[in-house]
Amino acid sequence: MSLLVARTGRHQQRYENGCRLIAGCIPYRYRTLNEDCEGGPKKVVEVLMINTTSGPGLLFPKGGWENDETREEAALREALEEAGVRGDIKHFLGEYHFKSKSLQDEFTPEGLCKAAMFSMFVTEELQSWPEDTTRERSWLATSVALECCRHPWMRDALVVFTNWHNDQITSNPDNLSSDQD
């Protein structure tokens, strides 16, 4: 059982122009493969996705951005609560608008949401976390993750992540570490 506790309720939620404000991240790490085409070790990027509690497909950790935190803090909190990982925010991936049937409330009866998404380099993977009884983690290659994304807006964020990451590697091939900015 986890000693950490997930925040619940919507009394601290942020709203803007009829949208519930969401923060989330694409957690990533590097895995070393035995060999590349030249016979040496090769590092590949993997992203962390979690199961959804309401149907098929996989998600990136995300949730409500609350009044007492920044967007980045909210994204880090959601990664910890939903996926049991800690890390460092590296890059803002953009804002994504979507409609949610499950997030309809008095402030956004149509379920409109605006999600701020970030890349997060994972520095710690916990064995126990607040939602470990309802969430399963999956580390995936980005190409596989694209096929598994439940929501189109998350696929869009993953494409932005992949382009950003590829630009980072192209500009500095030795930069496959936690100091990536």
Side-chain angles (χ1 to χ4, degrees):
M1 175 178 265
S2 175
L3 298 177
L4 301 168
V5 178
R7 290 185 177 196
T8 58
R10 301 240 171 101
H11 60 281
Q12 294 255 14
Q13 279 292 249
R14 290 181 189 239
Y15 295 86
E16 179 182 275
N17 299 325
C19 290
R20 181 174 179 231
L21 300 181
I22 305 290
C25 64
I26 298 180
Y28 71 100
R29 69 177 183 189
Y30 296 104
R31 185 167 57 96
T32 303
L33 299 178
N34 290 336
E35 293 184 10
D36 62 14
C37 61
E38 298 171 357
K42 177 182 178 184
K43 284 189 176 181
V44 295
V45 66
E46 294 179 319
V47 295
L48 179 65
M49 299 189 80
I50 54 175
N51 67 304
T52 171
T53 58
S54 62
L58 297 175
L59 309 170
F60 294 110
K62 55 104 181 108
W65 172 21
E66 299 189 354
N67 290 326
D68 63 344
E69 59 192 353
T70 66
R71 293 188 306 184
E72 293 84 354
E73 290 169 339
L76 292 169
R77 177 180 49 78
E78 290 297 334
L80 179 64
E81 290 177 0
E82 294 187 349
V85 291
R86 290 188 172 113
D88 300 318
I89 296 291
K90 294 296 179 178
H91 185 71
F92 176 61
L93 300 172
E95 291 181 338
Y96 301 86
H97 293 265
F98 65 97
K99 190 172 183 177
S100 171
K101 292 179 185 173
S102 64
L103 297 178
Q104 295 172 335
D105 62 24
E106 62 188 287
F107 300 106
T108 177
E110 295 179 26
L112 301 176
C113 298
K114 180 169 74 171
M117 292 294 288
F118 299 88
S119 64
M120 184 189 89
F121 180 78
V122 174
T123 58
E124 183 180 6
E125 190 171 345
L126 304 176
Q127 296 306 308
S128 177
W129 69 94
E131 297 184 21
D132 63 2
T133 58
T134 57
R135 301 281 190 184
E136 293 179 17
R137 300 183 283 215
S138 299
W139 285 102
L140 305 168
T142 54
S143 59
V144 175
L146 271 170
E147 297 173 16
C148 296
C149 276
R150 179 173 181 176
H151 302 297
W153 72 269
M154 285 192 175
R155 280 193 293 277
D156 294 344
L158 183 54
V159 168
V160 172
F161 168 83
T162 302
N163 291 337
W164 165 78
H165 184 265
N166 289 343
D167 288 347
Q168 295 294 305
I169 300 309
T170 302
S171 65
N172 187 358
D174 296 326
N175 202 13
L176 291 176
S177 66
S178 63
D179 62 353
Q180 195 176 56
D181 287 322

